[in-house]
Amino acid sequence: MNVDDLRAWSSAKDEPRWLIERRVHALELAGTLKLPKVEKINLEKWDIYESGDYKDENAWSSLEEAPGVVQGLVASPVKGGLIVQFNSDVVYTKLSEGLAAQGVILTDLHTAAKEHEELVQRYLFQAVKPEEHRLSAAHSALWSGGVFLYVPDGVEVEAPIQAIFLNDTSGVCFAPHVLIVAGSNSKITYVDNCVSSRDDVKVLHNGVTEVFAGAGSKVQVASVHQLAATTTDFTQRRAVVLADGGVEWIIGEMNNGYTASDTKTLLQGNGAVSDNKVIAIGTGNQKSSYTTQAQHFGKSSVSQMITRAVMLEEATAIINGITKIEKGATHCDGQQTERVLMLSPKARGDANPILLIDEDDVTAGHAASVGQVNAEQIYYLMSRGISRSEAEHLVIFGFLAPIISEIPLEGVRSRLKDLVESKLGRS
């Protein structure tokens, strides 16, 4: 897309002038920047150069119009809120009247930029900046649909807010942007699914999630990606946490295609907390990179990162855990664990725990392991009359279950269990 076409499309969406100019600047910037550096992965060989065309979709009057895959993920009735993006457009939004009365906002990002301009302008692209690399700039220029979720100071939302990003057409622009702003002493749980409806859908998913957690707030973000083998997934997730605030990430990477995801928390305030849990299963000749990061600025801030991956057939995964404690961030605690199970002689797993410590008065640690299923565990189960294949399945599922159980919506949790079963060849 050229600058003139982008201006015309953005103007047709009735976006404010400042947003149009940001898009244009980012598009021009994209042509000057290099691709992101991903540890031991050559992105130049990936199918990441075609962002696709925008595809207009008609809004749904009710969820009865939704495909079965969407209906299977949605909690019924919707108690908190739900937003659905179909290809390039948001087609359905619902927020409970009680939450709206408390000042909670849930809408697509285009609408938010018009109706809540000051809020959106203040936070949009402040955590993931367009100048970071070519793909972040391309996303900043071309994103569409997206989610804006705002929780005012002191409001605690008990029922999860859910988003579903559904793609069913090759060659479309599929670049949703999620912007979550949680006020001081607020509480929110957000759950999303990124789904291909067919196995042959070929697109680039270039997605971004930005979370801003105010002082004393508690934000939980759960995200499950289940995209087709012909779809390339590049996802950046970033949280900024102020004093005594907390962000919990629960990530399920169930894609069948090439995947690069980077989930990072910036602990800006004293006493800020980050808890990051990731599970992933690789199959076929899938190549993946899963990076989790915590950067400590505030004193007495705490981070924990746990990644568990299972690689089958000829799949390859690069697991990176990075804890960075800045000078002056005293009394911090940063812990990380990366574990990879390889179930085939041709599968590959590479766990890279990294500690970057610029302060003496801190606690930090890491653990990493790459190997096969524990033979003693298999022997023990088989000695109780369980077959080898069933014993291996029990061990593998037990390896992943502690993170699966953290998913806050039953429909999403059940879907994730089914995906694990399918990837393990048991469906």
Side-chain angles (χ1 to χ4, degrees), residues 234-286:
F234 183 85
T235 298
Q236 296 178 92
R237 304 178 182 93
R238 199 77 52 84
V240 178
V241 188
L242 301 187
D244 299 316
V247 168
E248 179 183 14
W249 299 98
I250 306 167
I251 311 297
E253 299 285 6
M254 298 290 119
N255 291 330
N256 291 317
Y258 285 15
T259 302
S261 74
D262 186 352
T263 304
K264 181 177 182 179
T265 304
L266 289 85
L267 299 158
Q268 296 281 16
N270 296 340
V273 177
S274 171
D275 186 358
N276 195 325
K277 304 180 183 74
V278 180
I279 64 169
I281 299 181
T283 56
N285 63 352
Q286 187 178 359

Short mmCIF file of all heavy atoms in Angstrom, two decimals, residues 234-286:
data_model
loop_
_atom_site.label_atom_id
_atom_site.label_comp_id
_atom_site.label_asym_id
_atom_site.label_seq_id
_atom_site.Cartn_x
_atom_site.Cartn_y
_atom_site.Cartn_z
N PHE A 234 3.68 -13.11 13.66
CA PHE A 234 4.66 -12.28 14.35
C PHE A 234 3.89 -11.42 15.34
O PHE A 234 3.09 -10.56 14.95
CB PHE A 234 5.44 -11.40 13.38
CG PHE A 234 6.51 -10.58 14.05
CD1 PHE A 234 7.76 -11.12 14.29
CD2 PHE A 234 6.25 -9.28 14.46
CE1 PHE A 234 8.75 -10.38 14.93
CE2 PHE A 234 7.24 -8.53 15.10
CZ PHE A 234 8.49 -9.08 15.33
N THR A 235 4.10 -11.67 16.64
CA THR A 235 3.30 -11.00 17.68
C THR A 235 4.20 -10.38 18.72
O THR A 235 5.12 -11.02 19.22
CB THR A 235 2.35 -12.01 18.37
OG1 THR A 235 1.44 -12.54 17.40
CG2 THR A 235 1.56 -11.33 19.47
N GLN A 236 3.91 -9.12 19.04
CA GLN A 236 4.60 -8.42 20.12
C GLN A 236 3.59 -8.09 21.21
O GLN A 236 2.52 -7.54 20.93
CB GLN A 236 5.23 -7.12 19.63
CG GLN A 236 6.33 -7.33 18.59
CD GLN A 236 6.88 -6.00 18.11
OE1 GLN A 236 7.85 -5.48 18.64
NE2 GLN A 236 6.24 -5.44 17.09
N ARG A 237 3.93 -8.44 22.44
CA ARG A 237 3.10 -8.10 23.59
C ARG A 237 3.98 -7.31 24.56
O ARG A 237 5.08 -7.72 24.89
CB ARG A 237 2.56 -9.36 24.28
CG ARG A 237 1.78 -10.29 23.36
CD ARG A 237 1.31 -11.54 24.10
NE ARG A 237 0.61 -12.47 23.24
CZ ARG A 237 1.19 -13.49 22.61
NH1 ARG A 237 2.50 -13.70 22.77
NH2 ARG A 237 0.50 -14.29 21.84
N ARG A 238 3.46 -6.21 25.05
CA ARG A 238 4.26 -5.34 25.91
C ARG A 238 3.39 -4.77 27.02
O ARG A 238 2.26 -4.31 26.74
CB ARG A 238 4.85 -4.20 25.07
CG ARG A 238 6.04 -3.47 25.66
CD ARG A 238 7.34 -4.24 25.55
NE ARG A 238 7.64 -4.69 24.21
CZ ARG A 238 8.24 -3.96 23.27
NH1 ARG A 238 8.57 -2.71 23.50
NH2 ARG A 238 8.51 -4.50 22.09
N ALA A 239 3.88 -4.78 28.24
CA ALA A 239 3.16 -4.20 29.37
C ALA A 239 4.05 -3.21 30.10
O ALA A 239 5.25 -3.45 30.27
CB ALA A 239 2.68 -5.28 30.34
N VAL A 240 3.46 -2.11 30.55
CA VAL A 240 4.13 -1.13 31.39
C VAL A 240 3.39 -1.11 32.72
O VAL A 240 2.18 -0.86 32.76
CB VAL A 240 4.12 0.27 30.75
CG1 VAL A 240 4.80 1.28 31.67
CG2 VAL A 240 4.80 0.24 29.38
N VAL A 241 4.10 -1.40 33.81
CA VAL A 241 3.46 -1.57 35.12
C VAL A 241 4.00 -0.53 36.10
O VAL A 241 5.21 -0.43 36.31
CB VAL A 241 3.71 -2.99 35.68
CG1 VAL A 241 2.87 -3.22 36.94
CG2 VAL A 241 3.38 -4.05 34.63
N LEU A 242 3.07 0.22 36.71
CA LEU A 242 3.46 1.25 37.68
C LEU A 242 3.49 0.67 39.09
O LEU A 242 3.28 -0.53 39.29
CB LEU A 242 2.50 2.43 37.57
CG LEU A 242 2.42 3.11 36.19
CD1 LEU A 242 1.57 4.38 36.26
CD2 LEU A 242 3.81 3.43 35.64
N ALA A 243 3.73 1.51 40.08
CA ALA A 243 4.02 1.09 41.45
C ALA A 243 2.93 0.17 42.02
O ALA A 243 1.74 0.50 41.94
CB ALA A 243 4.17 2.31 42.34
N ASP A 244 3.36 -0.96 42.53
CA ASP A 244 2.48 -1.95 43.18
C ASP A 244 1.44 -2.54 42.24
O ASP A 244 0.51 -3.21 42.69
CB ASP A 244 1.79 -1.34 44.42
CG ASP A 244 2.80 -0.89 45.47
OD1 ASP A 244 3.74 -1.65 45.73
OD2 ASP A 244 2.64 0.22 46.01
N GLY A 245 1.58 -2.29 40.96
CA GLY A 245 0.70 -2.92 39.98
C GLY A 245 1.22 -4.29 39.60
O GLY A 245 2.36 -4.65 39.91
N GLY A 246 0.37 -5.07 38.93
CA GLY A 246 0.79 -6.40 38.52
C GLY A 246 0.18 -6.80 37.19
O GLY A 246 -0.99 -6.48 36.91
N VAL A 247 0.96 -7.47 36.37
CA VAL A 247 0.48 -8.03 35.10
C VAL A 247 0.81 -9.51 35.06
O VAL A 247 1.96 -9.91 35.35
CB VAL A 247 1.10 -7.31 33.89
CG1 VAL A 247 0.82 -8.09 32.61
CG2 VAL A 247 0.53 -5.91 33.76
N GLU A 248 -0.18 -10.32 34.73
CA GLU A 248 0.02 -11.75 34.54
C GLU A 248 -0.28 -12.10 33.08
O GLU A 248 -1.37 -11.82 32.59
CB GLU A 248 -0.89 -12.56 35.46
CG GLU A 248 -0.72 -14.07 35.29
CD GLU A 248 -1.67 -14.89 36.15
OE1 GLU A 248 -2.64 -14.30 36.69
OE2 GLU A 248 -1.46 -16.11 36.27
N TRP A 249 0.69 -12.70 32.41
CA TRP A 249 0.51 -13.18 31.04
C TRP A 249 0.34 -14.70 31.07
O TRP A 249 1.13 -15.40 31.72
CB TRP A 249 1.73 -12.87 30.18
CG TRP A 249 2.10 -11.43 30.01
CD1 TRP A 249 3.05 -10.74 30.69
CD2 TRP A 249 1.58 -10.52 29.04
NE1 TRP A 249 3.16 -9.45 30.24
CE2 TRP A 249 2.26 -9.28 29.21
CE3 TRP A 249 0.60 -10.62 28.04
CZ2 TRP A 249 1.99 -8.16 28.42
CZ3 TRP A 249 0.33 -9.50 27.27
CH2 TRP A 249 1.02 -8.29 27.45
N ILE A 250 -0.65 -15.21 30.34
CA ILE A 250 -0.81 -16.65 30.15
C ILE A 250 -0.95 -16.87 28.65
O ILE A 250 -1.96 -16.51 28.05
CB ILE A 250 -2.06 -17.20 30.89
CG1 ILE A 250 -2.03 -16.80 32.36
CG2 ILE A 250 -2.14 -18.71 30.74
CD1 ILE A 250 -3.35 -17.03 33.07
N ILE A 251 0.08 -17.46 28.03
CA ILE A 251 0.15 -17.53 26.57
C ILE A 251 0.15 -19.00 26.12
O ILE A 251 0.97 -19.80 26.59
CB ILE A 251 1.43 -16.84 26.05
CG1 ILE A 251 1.59 -15.45 26.67
CG2 ILE A 251 1.42 -16.79 24.53
CD1 ILE A 251 0.51 -14.48 26.32
N GLY A 252 -0.75 -19.32 25.20
CA GLY A 252 -0.77 -20.64 24.58
C GLY A 252 -0.43 -20.52 23.11
O GLY A 252 -1.21 -19.98 22.33
N GLU A 253 0.74 -21.00 22.72
CA GLU A 253 1.20 -20.92 21.33
C GLU A 253 0.91 -22.26 20.64
O GLU A 253 1.70 -23.19 20.71
CB GLU A 253 2.70 -20.59 21.28
CG GLU A 253 3.07 -19.26 21.93
CD GLU A 253 2.69 -18.06 21.08
OE1 GLU A 253 2.01 -18.24 20.03
OE2 GLU A 253 3.04 -16.93 21.46
N MET A 254 -0.23 -22.32 19.96
CA MET A 254 -0.68 -23.55 19.33
C MET A 254 -0.73 -23.44 17.81
O MET A 254 -1.46 -24.18 17.14
CB MET A 254 -2.09 -23.92 19.85
CG MET A 254 -2.15 -24.20 21.34
SD MET A 254 -1.31 -25.74 21.80
CE MET A 254 -0.04 -25.08 22.90
N ASN A 255 0.01 -22.51 17.26
CA ASN A 255 0.05 -22.36 15.80
C ASN A 255 0.61 -23.60 15.12
O ASN A 255 1.38 -24.37 15.71
CB ASN A 255 0.91 -21.15 15.41
CG ASN A 255 0.29 -19.84 15.82
OD1 ASN A 255 -0.92 -19.71 15.88
ND2 ASN A 255 1.12 -18.85 16.11
N ASN A 256 0.28 -23.74 13.84
CA ASN A 256 0.87 -24.79 13.00
C ASN A 256 1.93 -24.24 12.06
O ASN A 256 2.63 -25.01 11.40
CB ASN A 256 -0.21 -25.51 12.20
CG ASN A 256 -1.12 -26.33 13.08
OD1 ASN A 256 -0.66 -27.02 13.98
ND2 ASN A 256 -2.42 -26.26 12.84
N GLY A 257 2.04 -22.92 11.96
CA GLY A 257 3.00 -22.30 11.06
C GLY A 257 4.14 -21.64 11.79
O GLY A 257 4.27 -21.73 13.01
N TYR A 258 4.97 -20.96 11.03
CA TYR A 258 6.11 -20.25 11.61
C TYR A 258 5.62 -19.18 12.58
O TYR A 258 4.67 -18.44 12.29
CB TYR A 258 6.95 -19.61 10.52
CG TYR A 258 7.81 -20.56 9.72
CD1 TYR A 258 7.61 -21.93 9.76
CD2 TYR A 258 8.85 -20.08 8.91
CE1 TYR A 258 8.42 -22.79 9.04
CE2 TYR A 258 9.65 -20.94 8.18
CZ TYR A 258 9.42 -22.30 8.25
OH TYR A 258 10.21 -23.16 7.53
N THR A 259 6.30 -19.10 13.73
CA THR A 259 5.84 -18.21 14.81
C THR A 259 7.03 -17.52 15.46
O THR A 259 8.03 -18.16 15.79
CB THR A 259 5.09 -19.02 15.89
OG1 THR A 259 3.98 -19.69 15.30
CG2 THR A 259 4.61 -18.11 17.00
N ALA A 260 6.89 -16.21 15.66
CA ALA A 260 7.85 -15.45 16.47
C ALA A 260 7.04 -14.56 17.40
O ALA A 260 6.30 -13.68 16.94
CB ALA A 260 8.78 -14.62 15.60
N SER A 261 7.15 -14.80 18.70
CA SER A 261 6.41 -13.97 19.65
C SER A 261 7.37 -13.44 20.71
O SER A 261 8.32 -14.12 21.11
CB SER A 261 5.28 -14.77 20.31
OG SER A 261 5.78 -15.70 21.25
N ASP A 262 7.11 -12.22 21.13
CA ASP A 262 7.94 -11.55 22.12
C ASP A 262 7.01 -10.89 23.14
O ASP A 262 6.26 -9.99 22.80
CB ASP A 262 8.82 -10.50 21.45
CG ASP A 262 9.82 -9.86 22.41
OD1 ASP A 262 9.73 -10.12 23.62
OD2 ASP A 262 10.69 -9.10 21.93
N THR A 263 7.06 -11.38 24.37
CA THR A 263 6.21 -10.86 25.44
C THR A 263 7.10 -10.23 26.50
O THR A 263 7.92 -10.90 27.11
CB THR A 263 5.37 -11.99 26.07
OG1 THR A 263 4.60 -12.63 25.04
CG2 THR A 263 4.42 -11.43 27.12
N LYS A 264 6.93 -8.92 26.71
CA LYS A 264 7.84 -8.19 27.58
C LYS A 264 7.07 -7.32 28.56
O LYS A 264 6.09 -6.68 28.20
CB LYS A 264 8.77 -7.31 26.73
CG LYS A 264 9.79 -6.51 27.54
CD LYS A 264 10.72 -5.72 26.63
CE LYS A 264 11.78 -4.96 27.41
NZ LYS A 264 12.70 -4.21 26.52
N THR A 265 7.55 -7.29 29.80
CA THR A 265 6.98 -6.43 30.82
C THR A 265 8.03 -5.46 31.33
O THR A 265 9.15 -5.88 31.67
CB THR A 265 6.44 -7.25 32.01
OG1 THR A 265 5.49 -8.21 31.52
CG2 THR A 265 5.75 -6.35 33.02
N LEU A 266 7.67 -4.18 31.35
CA LEU A 266 8.54 -3.15 31.90
C LEU A 266 8.00 -2.78 33.27
O LEU A 266 6.91 -2.21 33.41
CB LEU A 266 8.57 -1.92 31.00
CG LEU A 266 9.31 -2.08 29.67
CD1 LEU A 266 8.38 -2.68 28.61
CD2 LEU A 266 9.84 -0.74 29.17
N LEU A 267 8.76 -3.14 34.31
CA LEU A 267 8.36 -2.89 35.69
C LEU A 267 8.86 -1.51 36.10
O LEU A 267 9.95 -1.36 36.64
CB LEU A 267 8.92 -4.00 36.58
CG LEU A 267 8.40 -5.39 36.21
CD1 LEU A 267 9.34 -6.49 36.70
CD2 LEU A 267 7.00 -5.61 36.75
N GLN A 268 8.05 -0.51 35.82
CA GLN A 268 8.49 0.87 35.99
C GLN A 268 8.42 1.34 37.43
O GLN A 268 9.22 2.17 37.87
CB GLN A 268 7.62 1.80 35.12
CG GLN A 268 7.74 1.56 33.63
CD GLN A 268 8.99 2.19 33.04
OE1 GLN A 268 9.91 2.56 33.76
NE2 GLN A 268 9.03 2.30 31.73
N GLY A 269 7.43 0.82 38.20
CA GLY A 269 7.21 1.35 39.53
C GLY A 269 7.76 0.45 40.62
O GLY A 269 7.97 -0.75 40.43
N ASN A 270 7.98 1.02 41.78
CA ASN A 270 8.40 0.24 42.94
C ASN A 270 7.32 -0.77 43.31
O ASN A 270 6.14 -0.45 43.35
CB ASN A 270 8.68 1.15 44.13
CG ASN A 270 9.83 2.11 43.89
OD1 ASN A 270 10.66 1.88 43.01
ND2 ASN A 270 9.88 3.18 44.66
N GLY A 271 7.74 -2.01 43.57
CA GLY A 271 6.78 -3.04 43.96
C GLY A 271 5.97 -3.62 42.82
O GLY A 271 5.03 -4.39 43.06
N ALA A 272 6.30 -3.28 41.57
CA ALA A 272 5.57 -3.83 40.43
C ALA A 272 5.87 -5.32 40.27
O ALA A 272 6.96 -5.79 40.62
CB ALA A 272 5.94 -3.08 39.15
N VAL A 273 4.89 -6.06 39.72
CA VAL A 273 5.00 -7.52 39.61
C VAL A 273 4.65 -7.97 38.20
O VAL A 273 3.68 -7.47 37.59
CB VAL A 273 4.06 -8.22 40.62
CG1 VAL A 273 4.11 -9.73 40.45
CG2 VAL A 273 4.44 -7.84 42.05
N SER A 274 5.42 -8.92 37.68
CA SER A 274 5.13 -9.55 36.39
C SER A 274 5.21 -11.06 36.54
O SER A 274 6.17 -11.59 37.09
CB SER A 274 6.14 -9.09 35.33
OG SER A 274 6.00 -9.84 34.14
N ASP A 275 4.19 -11.74 36.03
CA ASP A 275 4.14 -13.21 36.05
C ASP A 275 3.82 -13.67 34.63
O ASP A 275 2.74 -13.35 34.11
CB ASP A 275 3.07 -13.68 37.03
CG ASP A 275 3.07 -15.20 37.21
OD1 ASP A 275 3.86 -15.89 36.54
OD2 ASP A 275 2.25 -15.70 38.01
N ASN A 276 4.74 -14.39 34.01
CA ASN A 276 4.60 -14.74 32.60
C ASN A 276 4.68 -16.25 32.43
O ASN A 276 5.69 -16.86 32.79
CB ASN A 276 5.73 -14.06 31.80
CG ASN A 276 5.48 -14.07 30.31
OD1 ASN A 276 4.92 -15.02 29.79
ND2 ASN A 276 5.89 -13.02 29.64
N LYS A 277 3.61 -16.84 31.91
CA LYS A 277 3.57 -18.28 31.68
C LYS A 277 3.27 -18.54 30.20
O LYS A 277 2.31 -17.99 29.65
CB LYS A 277 2.48 -18.95 32.52
CG LYS A 277 2.60 -18.70 34.03
CD LYS A 277 1.47 -19.41 34.75
CE LYS A 277 1.50 -19.15 36.25
NZ LYS A 277 1.03 -17.76 36.57
N VAL A 278 4.08 -19.41 29.58
CA VAL A 278 3.93 -19.73 28.15
C VAL A 278 3.98 -21.23 27.96
O VAL A 278 4.87 -21.90 28.52
CB VAL A 278 5.04 -19.06 27.30
CG1 VAL A 278 4.86 -19.41 25.83
CG2 VAL A 278 5.04 -17.55 27.50
N ILE A 279 3.04 -21.78 27.17
CA ILE A 279 3.18 -23.16 26.69
C ILE A 279 3.14 -23.14 25.17
O ILE A 279 2.49 -22.29 24.56
CB ILE A 279 2.09 -24.11 27.24
CG1 ILE A 279 0.70 -23.70 26.74
CG2 ILE A 279 2.16 -24.20 28.74
CD1 ILE A 279 -0.35 -24.76 27.03
N ALA A 280 3.86 -24.08 24.58
CA ALA A 280 3.92 -24.16 23.12
C ALA A 280 4.09 -25.60 22.69
O ALA A 280 4.76 -26.39 23.37
CB ALA A 280 5.07 -23.31 22.59
N ILE A 281 3.49 -25.95 21.55
CA ILE A 281 3.69 -27.25 20.93
C ILE A 281 4.02 -27.04 19.46
O ILE A 281 3.29 -26.34 18.75
CB ILE A 281 2.43 -28.15 21.06
CG1 ILE A 281 2.10 -28.40 22.53
CG2 ILE A 281 2.67 -29.48 20.36
CD1 ILE A 281 0.90 -29.30 22.74
N GLY A 282 5.13 -27.63 19.02
CA GLY A 282 5.54 -27.53 17.63
C GLY A 282 5.40 -28.86 16.92
O GLY A 282 5.72 -29.91 17.49
N THR A 283 4.91 -28.82 15.68
CA THR A 283 4.73 -30.04 14.88
C THR A 283 5.26 -29.82 13.47
O THR A 283 5.58 -28.69 13.07
CB THR A 283 3.24 -30.43 14.80
OG1 THR A 283 2.49 -29.32 14.28
CG2 THR A 283 2.70 -30.79 16.17
N GLY A 284 5.33 -30.91 12.70
CA GLY A 284 5.79 -30.82 11.31
C GLY A 284 7.19 -30.25 11.24
O GLY A 284 8.07 -30.60 12.02
N ASN A 285 7.39 -29.34 10.29
CA ASN A 285 8.70 -28.67 10.18
C ASN A 285 8.60 -27.23 10.67
O ASN A 285 9.34 -26.36 10.22
CB ASN A 285 9.21 -28.72 8.74
CG ASN A 285 8.30 -27.96 7.78
OD1 ASN A 285 7.21 -27.52 8.15
ND2 ASN A 285 8.75 -27.81 6.54
N GLN A 286 7.69 -26.99 11.60
CA GLN A 286 7.45 -25.67 12.15
C GLN A 286 8.71 -25.10 12.80
O GLN A 286 9.44 -25.80 13.49
CB GLN A 286 6.33 -25.78 13.19
CG GLN A 286 5.84 -24.47 13.75
CD GLN A 286 4.69 -24.69 14.73
OE1 GLN A 286 4.26 -25.81 14.96
NE2 GLN A 286 4.20 -23.61 15.31
#
